[in-house]
Structure formats: structure tokens, C-alpha cells
């Protein structure tokens, strides 16, 4: 396999609604920024991978075809990836394979998502209709009629984890929310920059037990893109390549009856283990300088500390209590604000997380820069009870 | 658009999408009255919809038994003895065809949360229980919701029993779970 570098990247702002852009117009903005960052003309792109999650959100089946057309990439090969919340990470994985295999030298990996064009006229808001669109991803015969949400699937796991290990507590989850909302105040791209107190989070209204309002990410619109290139090309066109040194992926049984338990996400553990082995990461707490973890919910960020081996199984809550994952801690988690602070534009999210880590490795993260960052982790998860996980280790 | 054209617009969209005229008026009056600049984002009502005559394939008997006989069936692997409910025609580990087994309809809640907010389709039912139930005699989990007076009385370990609705349609919602006294 060939070495693969990120040679260009761009992202739109993450917002609750981009009313003045369609999904392909948003994608265009991210692609243009990534090309300018790389100093490449669009005709230098050999192939493209598009991460787009929900066709109802876009109001379009096969939206990738229209993105490809709008970007002027006709006759180049492309493929669309959809792995729920892990769509961005999964798109990066395919893009990596395109270049590492030697099939192509330059690959555009672009994620985009709208969502708030869906609308509940009676309630005068998008969210319940967004959730209805998502519910079509639950098994239509057996699960969809139960009216669950993405949050309830993960809530079931967090409750099971708490019953088994005694954490995460409500207070630990609230601390994660405070951290991520605060981190977002230093990210100009973020949707939800907020200075909150633990009490405010704990007193916010209940959504799905044990998640209160501020324990959840919001739905977001946006687009993020990276350009991947082989070592030969990367060394010719940029003096600040960011290398994908580790990559791991796993897809678990979507039906929890086929799993030994639901209090741990085995796909996440496998993906992290594989990515670490490939990158030579022995002790993640020592060997990584920062991590962007998939915090769709505060409780699942805490589970991710364990699944990414920052601590022993069952000890996740201790890392937010002792400050390890704080901006000034040993291993800051979600300096971008994460999904909770920066936003969750589903197909773009994993690419936004990658953009964030790469920005730190390039020393361009401004007020939230992790000093001297050399190596970081991206974790992208999605699907019922974490069906998919993709982990990437990035290095400069 | 003049007043008559606007009213025709409302009526057309109400008939096409089932959105009440009062909501359409609230959302679109300003636009239709020409008060938005020519280059401002233009929003329109729309809906994605497809009709089905869906086949349950090899799971058909499960739904016919629900509808006709008020009975819950599982699917047993002859090789490893795992019993699936929801049923499947083949064991996913052994790749052997499964056999139908009649279940008692009782079970236990293995994972549980309370939904206080949810999708448009269910928002009027909150709060309700969202749980995975393991039916007795099975080795699998079934997603269910439970509308109960006091959600705090339901949790992991609660014993439940299937109850059947009077009007059954051949869908998983032909039965629901209630706590076993
Ligand atoms: Zn078997």
C-alpha cells in the first residue's frame, strides 16, 4: 500500500440551516475551499468519494450524481457512501483505499448534508420531521413502528453501561456538555458555542432518559472536504501534508439480539485497535496529542473514551472528572466542540472531525490550537447502537 | 400574486399534501404577497411518498399468526438451537433453515429508556417506554414501545406479556406488551 496524505481541506460553517444553499451548492463551497487550500485545479482530481447520509434530508435519491455534476467532475469515477453517523469516516476510508491501492493519485472526499428543509408544519419546526426521516433507517418491519429515535438507541446503551459500571453519571455527562459547548466558543465554524454550567445542563428538559436537552447534539447543515493524495503527489504540491497513518473500521450486528451485550460498542473497540496497530500507537493516552470523538450524545463520548482505550473498560467517567480530556488535559477531546458544540451535519461530520485534527497538526487552529500537536485520532460512528465505526490516526 | 391566486395556491397545496390552509398561510403569506426580494431563498412545500404492496417473504407466517391466531412465533435453528424473534428464515451463524416455534408471549425487559421527545409520527404519545424485550423461549431482542400510566414503574427486569389489539393488520403492532401482574 502507498502512503496517503491530506493535501487540501475546506469546510463550510456548520449551521442549523443554510436556507440560501442547496446541498450541491454547499458541497461546491467546501470543494472550492479544499482545492484552493491544495493549490490544485479541479481537473487534477482523479476520483471522488461522497459522504451523504439521508436522501429524505436532501429531498433527492442518488444526490451524489448531482454533486458530481455541479463540481464539474463529469467522467471521473465516483462513489457515494452512506453509513449513518459514520458516513464521513466511511467516505474517508474508501478515499484512502482509492489512493493507497495505487488506482488513483488524487481523490476528493466530500461530505455534505442538509436536514432542515424537512419541516413539521403543525409544530413550526424541523426537528420532529428530521427524526421521522431518520426513523426510516430503523428496521421498517420490526423497529420503525416503535417510534424510537437515534437518541433512544444510544440512551439504551448508556443506561446499560451505567447499570453495569455505575457511570456515566448525569453529572459526568453534563461536564462533557459544558466542555464541548465551551470548546465551540473558540471555533468560528461552530453551530453551538455556549458557556454553560453543569447545573444548566442537568436542569435542561429531558429528551430521552438519561439524555437531557444539552446532552444531545443538534442537527446541522454543512459540507466538509479533504483532498487525499499519494506520497509522490503530496510531496510535490504541499509542504504541510497530514498523513493518514492508521485506519480501522468495523460494522457490528445492527440487531442487538445478535450481540453479547449493548453496554459496550465492540465495533468501536475493533476499529480503534486496528487503527492503533497500523499507526504504531501503543498507549493512546501517551501517543496521541488530541482526539475528535463522535459525541452525538455526552454519554457516548464517555463510552468512546473506553472504546478508544484511553482507560480501562468501565472507567470512562473518570476521564472527564480528572480533566484528562479537557483542553488543557493530557488528551484533549473535541477541541472543535465536537458534534455537540460544532454540530452534526451527518455526511460531513467525520470529515469535519478530520479537518479539525489536521488543522491542529498544521498548527493553524488559532485560539484552540493544541501546542505542538503531532498525532491525533478521529472516531466516526453511526447506526443503531453504533453499527459502524471508522477510526483514523493522523500525523504530520 | 393577487388574493384569488393566493387562495388557489393554498387550496392546491392543502389538497396535494394535506397541510392545513392556516399553516400554509402562516408560512407562505409573506412570500406570496410579493414581500420577499427577488433573490431571497424561495421555499416551497413538498413531500416524498411511495406506496407499497410489501411482501414479508419468508417471515409471512409470523404476521399471519399474529393477525389470525393472536400467537407469537419464533424461529429456531436446528443446529445451534438459537431462537430468533423477530424471526428469520435462516440462522445467520449456521446458515441452516430455521423451524417455527410457538412462544408463550411472555418476556422480560432487557434494556429500557423513556422517550420524552420523538419524531413527528409519535410526538403526541410521549412520555412512553422504549425497550428491548427478550421473549421467553428466545435468544433475541425485540424493540417495543409501551404506553403506561407510570413510566417509572417499568425498567430492566420488568416481566411483560403480549396483548393483542382487537383490530389486527398483519403488522408488528398487532400486539403490544403490558406489565405482567
Ligand atoms: Zn444456528
Amino acid at each position: 500500500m502507498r502512503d496517503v496524505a491530506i493535501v487540501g481541506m475546506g469546510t463550510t460553517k456548520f449551521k442549523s440551516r443554510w436556507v440560501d444553499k442547496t446541498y450541491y451548492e454547499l458541497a461546491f463551497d467546501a470543494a472550492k475551499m479544499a482545492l484552493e487550500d491544495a493549490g490544485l485545479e479541479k481537473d487534477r482530481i482523479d476520483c471522488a468519494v461522497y459522504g451523504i447520509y439521508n436522501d429524505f434530508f436532501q429531498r433527492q435519491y442518488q444526490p451524489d450524481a448531482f454533486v458530481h455534476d455541479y463540481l464539474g467532475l463529469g467522467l471521473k469515477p465516483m462513489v457515494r457512501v452512506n453509513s449513518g453517523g459514520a458516513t464521513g469516516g466511511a467516505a474517508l476510508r474508501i478515499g484512502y483505499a482509492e489512493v493507497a491501492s495505487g488506482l488513483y493519485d488524487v481523490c476528493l472526499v466530500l461530505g455534505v448534508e442538509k436536514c432542515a428543509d424537512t419541516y413539521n408544519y403543525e409544530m413550526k419546526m424541523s426537528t420532529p420531521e428530521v427524526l421521522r426521516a431518520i426513523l426510516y433507517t430503523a428496521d421498517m418491519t420490526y423497529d420503525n413502528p416503535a417510534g424510537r429515535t437515534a437518541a433512544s438507541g444510544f440512551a439504551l446503551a448508556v443506561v446499560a453501561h451505567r447499570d453495569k459500571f455505575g457511570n456515566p453519571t448525569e453529572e459526568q455527562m453534563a461536564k462533557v456538555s459544558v466542555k464541548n459547548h465551551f470548546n465551540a466558543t473558540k471555533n468560528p465554524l461552530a453551530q453551538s458555542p455556549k458557556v454553560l454550567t453543569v447545573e444548566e445542563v442537568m436542569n435542561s428538559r429531558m429528551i430521552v432518559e438519561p439524555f437531557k436537552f444539552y446532552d444531545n447534539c443538534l442537527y446541522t447543515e454543512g459540507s466538509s472536504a479533504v483532498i487525499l493524495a499519494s506520497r509522490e503527489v503530496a510531496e510535490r504540491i504541499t509542504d504541510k501534508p497530514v498523513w493518514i497513518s492508521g485506519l480501522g473500521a468495523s460494522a457490528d450486528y445492527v440487531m442487538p439480539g445478535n450481540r453479547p451485550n449493548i453496554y459496550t460498542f465492540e465495533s468501536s473497540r475493533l476499529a480503534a485497535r486496528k487503527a492503533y496497530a497500523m499507526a504504531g500507537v501503543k498507549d493512546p493516552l501517551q501517543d496521541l496529542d488530541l482526539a475528535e470523538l463522535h459525541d452525538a450524545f455526552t454519554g457516548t463520548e464517555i463510552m468512546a473514551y473506553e472504546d478508544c482505550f484511553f482507560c480501562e473498560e468501565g472507567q470512562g467517567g473518570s476521564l472527564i472528572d480528572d480533566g484528562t480530556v479537557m483542553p488543557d488535559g493530557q488528551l484533549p477531546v473535541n477541541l472543535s466542540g465536537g458534534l455537540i458544540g460544532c454540530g452534526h451535519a451527518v455526511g460531513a461530520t467525520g470529515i469535519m472531525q478530520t479537518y479539525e485534527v489536521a488543522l491542529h497538526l498544521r498548527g493553524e487552529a488559532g485560539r484552540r490550537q493544541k501546542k505542538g500537536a503531532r498525532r491525533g485520532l478521529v472516531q466516526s460512528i453511526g447506526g443503531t447502537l453504533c453499527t459502524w465505526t471508522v477510526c483514523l490516526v493522523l500525523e504530520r | 400574486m393577487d388574493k384569488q391566486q393566493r387562495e388557489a395556491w393554498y387550496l392546491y397545496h392543502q389538497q396535494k399534501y394535506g397541510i392545513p390552509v392556516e399553516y400554509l398561510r402562516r408560512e407562505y403569506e409573506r412570500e406570496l404577497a410579493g414581500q420577499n426580494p427577488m433573490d431571497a431563498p424561495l421555499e416551497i412545500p413538498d413531500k416524498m411518498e411511495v406506496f407499497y404492496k410489501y411482501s414479508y417473504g419468508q417471515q409471512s407466517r409470523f404476521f399471519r399468526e399474529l393477525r389470525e391466531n393472536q400467537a407469537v412465533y419464533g424461529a429456531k435453528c436446528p443446529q445451534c438451537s438459537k431462537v430468533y424473534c423477530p424471526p428469520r428464515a435462516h440462522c445467520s451463524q449456521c446458515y441452516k433453515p430455521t423451524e417455527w416455534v410457538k412462544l408463550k408471549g411472555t418476556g422480560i425487559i432487557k434494556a429500557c429508556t423513556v422517550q420524552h421527545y420523538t419524531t413527528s409520527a409519535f410526538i403526541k404519545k410521549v412520555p412512553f417506554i422504549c425497550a428491548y424485550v427478550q421473549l421467553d423461549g428466545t435468544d433475541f431482542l425485540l424493540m417495543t414501545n409501551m404506553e403506561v400510566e407510570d413510566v417509572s414503574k417499568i425498567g430492566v427486569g420488568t416481566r411483560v406479556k403480549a396483548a393483542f389489539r382487537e383490530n389486527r393488520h398483519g403488522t408488528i403492532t398487532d400486539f403490544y406488551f403490558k406489565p405482567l401482574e
Side-chain angles (χ1 to χ4, degrees):
Chain A
M1 282 202 304
R2 304 195 297 175
D3 290 338
V4 179
I6 296 168
V7 297
M9 54 194 202
T11 183
T12 67
K13 194 167 163 30
F14 272 31
K15 300 206 296 192
S16 59
R17 189 162 192 219
W18 274 97
V19 70
D20 52 340
K21 306 261 182 186
T22 66
Y23 66 94
Y24 47 85
E25 291 164 350
L26 271 180
F28 181 87
D29 289 354
K32 187 164 188 280
M33 282 186 266
L35 284 165
E36 283 168 3
D37 183 55
L40 292 177
E41 298 294 327
K42 59 119 170 144
D43 293 331
R44 286 292 302 281
I45 293 170
D46 297 320
C47 70
V49 181
Y50 300 115
I52 311 174
Y53 160 59
N54 196 304
D55 292 349
F56 285 109
F57 288 179
Q58 267 59 241
R59 202 201 62 155
Q60 180 65 59
Y61 278 62
Q62 300 180 353
D64 46 319
F66 302 94
V67 172
H68 201 59
D69 185 287
Y70 201 78
L71 298 185
L73 297 178
L75 299 182
K76 316 248 186 204
M78 66 91 164
V79 65
R80 179 255 183 111
V81 173
N82 178 3
S83 301
T87 296
L92 284 157
R93 171 170 171 254
I94 304 306
Y96 176 90
E98 297 275 36
V99 177
S101 66
L103 271 177
Y104 303 103
D105 289 328
V106 180
C107 176
L108 170 70
V109 180
L110 182 143
V112 62
E113 205 78 43
K114 292 280 282 185
C115 65
D117 286 324
T118 64
Y119 193 70
N120 182 314
Y121 281 85
E122 187 181 351
M123 297 175 74
K124 293 193 268 184
M125 62 197 297
S126 290
T127 309
E129 204 64 8
V130 168
L131 296 175
R132 192 159 88 98
I134 294 171
L135 191 55
Y136 285 97
T137 66
D139 183 290
M140 287 300 289
T141 302
Y142 299 104
D143 287 1
N144 173 289
R148 69 168 186 84
T149 55
S152 45
F154 283 100
L156 288 166
V158 169
V159 168
H161 186 281
R162 197 185 58 195
D163 289 349
K164 172 89 177 167
F165 298 110
N167 78 91
T169 64
E170 284 182 53
E171 193 179 352
Q172 287 165 340
M173 291 197 295
K175 286 181 187 172
V176 169
S177 174
V178 171
K179 167 178 75 73
N180 293 357
H181 280 104
F182 180 77
N183 286 352
T185 64
K186 300 186 177 181
N187 182 355
L189 298 168
Q191 178 183 10
S192 308
K194 270 191 172 55
V195 181
L196 292 169
T197 64
V198 167
E199 291 69 32
E200 281 173 304
V201 176
M202 289 177 69
N203 291 330
S204 61
R205 73 193 164 92
M206 189 62 87
I207 301 294
V208 178
E209 290 178 12
F211 301 146
K212 300 175 197 74
F213 181 79
Y214 286 123
D215 286 307
N216 299 263
C217 68
L218 302 177
Y219 292 99
T220 308
E221 299 189 344
S223 180
S224 306
V226 297
I227 295 169
L228 304 181
S230 62
R231 177 176 286 277
E232 198 192 358
V233 172
E235 287 179 341
R236 217 164 49 230
I237 65 169
T238 181
D239 51 8
K240 49 185 181 183
V242 170
W243 301 96
I244 299 176
S245 61
L247 194 154
S250 171
D252 205 344
Y253 291 97
V254 68
M255 301 296 249
N258 272 326
R259 301 187 190 184
N261 66 66
I262 63 163
Y263 57 74
T264 185
F265 295 144
E266 199 54 41
S267 70
S268 292
R269 297 176 79 79
L270 279 168
R273 208 176 279 135
K274 181 95 200 254
Y276 292 157
M278 187 170 155
V281 170
K282 304 249 174 341
D283 176 359
L285 218 48
Q286 292 291 334
D287 298 349
L288 299 171
D289 298 310
L290 74 159
E292 288 285 311
L293 306 183
H294 189 99
D295 60 323
F297 311 98
T298 52
T300 52
E301 177 175 314
I302 289 171
M303 288 176 69
Y305 302 155
E306 302 172 14
D307 292 337
C308 295
F309 304 99
F310 299 171
C311 60
E312 296 292 314
E313 191 178 20
Q315 302 295 308
S318 68
L319 296 193
I320 186 72
D321 282 338
D322 68 17
T324 301
V325 294
M326 297 300 281
D328 57 353
Q330 188 181 357
L331 179 49
V333 170
N334 291 335
L335 286 169
S336 69
L339 282 62
I340 286 172
C342 184
H344 188 13
V346 188
T349 297
I351 299 165
M352 175 278 285
Q353 295 171 298
T354 300
Y355 172 99
E356 174 72 10
V357 171
L359 206 63
H360 286 271
L361 300 181
R362 283 167 34 164
E364 298 169 3
R367 288 200 297 144
R368 62 189 191 283
Q369 175 68 41
K370 165 74 182 185
K371 281 207 184 69
R374 298 196 61 84
R375 181 144 72 173
L377 173 72
V378 174
Q379 185 218 35
S380 181
I381 75 172
T384 303
L385 291 158
C386 191
T387 306
W388 294 277
T389 304
V390 178
C391 287
L392 295 101
V393 177
L394 306 180
E395 293 182 39
R396 69 175 154 108
Chain B
M1 289 167 75
D2 65 29
K3 181 126 200 325
Q4 198 184 341
Q5 286 172 314
R6 294 205 294 269
E7 291 309 313
W9 189 99
Y10 293 133
L11 208 61
Y12 170 82
H13 287 90
Q14 183 193 26
Q15 281 166 359
K16 189 170 181 192
Y17 301 118
I19 305 168
V21 165
E22 56 178 299
Y23 300 154
L24 292 166
R25 202 185 298 280
R26 179 187 71 210
E27 300 292 335
Y28 296 103
E29 182 73 16
R30 192 184 148 78
E31 171 62 37
L32 299 184
Q35 288 166 353
N36 288 335
M38 214 52 171
D39 288 324
L42 171 60
E43 298 172 287
I44 56 154
D46 202 357
K47 180 181 184 179
M48 289 177 85
E49 189 176 57
V50 178
F51 290 99
Y52 292 88
K53 188 162 165 269
Y54 180 78
S55 167
Y56 284 127
Q58 298 298 301
Q59 298 148 71
S60 296
R61 177 171 173 170
F62 176 79
F63 293 97
R64 216 170 256 124
E65 292 283 358
L66 291 182
R67 193 188 66 194
E68 301 300 322
N69 301 324
Q70 305 186 40
V72 184
Y73 273 70
K76 183 175 184 175
C77 172
Q79 185 160 318
C80 71
S81 296
K82 179 166 178 159
V83 178
Y84 293 89
C85 187
R88 52 182 72 188
H90 290 87
C91 176
S92 299
Q93 299 306 324
C94 311
Y95 276 43
K96 292 279 185 289
T98 56
E99 295 156 2
W100 291 108
V101 286
K102 191 173 179 179
L103 305 172
K104 277 193 258 171
T106 53
I108 186 169
I109 291 182
K110 300 293 277 186
C112 188
T113 183
V114 183
Q115 202 93 44
H116 293 267
Y117 188 82
T118 187
T119 87
S120 296
F122 289 84
I123 195 93
K124 287 174 180 158
K125 297 186 175 187
V126 297
F128 61 83
I129 298 284
C130 172
Y132 281 117
V133 170
Q134 183 177 0
L135 282 158
D136 293 342
T138 74
D139 309 282
F140 220 65
L141 297 173
L142 185 64
M143 162 64 60
T144 194
N145 66 41
M146 291 171 71
E147 294 168 58
V148 291
E149 291 266 312
D150 184 357
V151 290
S152 69
K153 291 203 171 126
I154 309 291
V156 173
T158 300
R159 298 275 305 156
V160 295
K161 181 168 176 46
F164 284 82
R165 294 180 208 281
E166 192 175 339
N167 295 317
R168 297 181 300 280
H169 310 295
T171 62
I172 194 70
T173 50
D174 280 354
F175 73 99
Y176 58 98
F177 289 105
K178 50 186 196 181
L180 198 63
E181 300 307 332

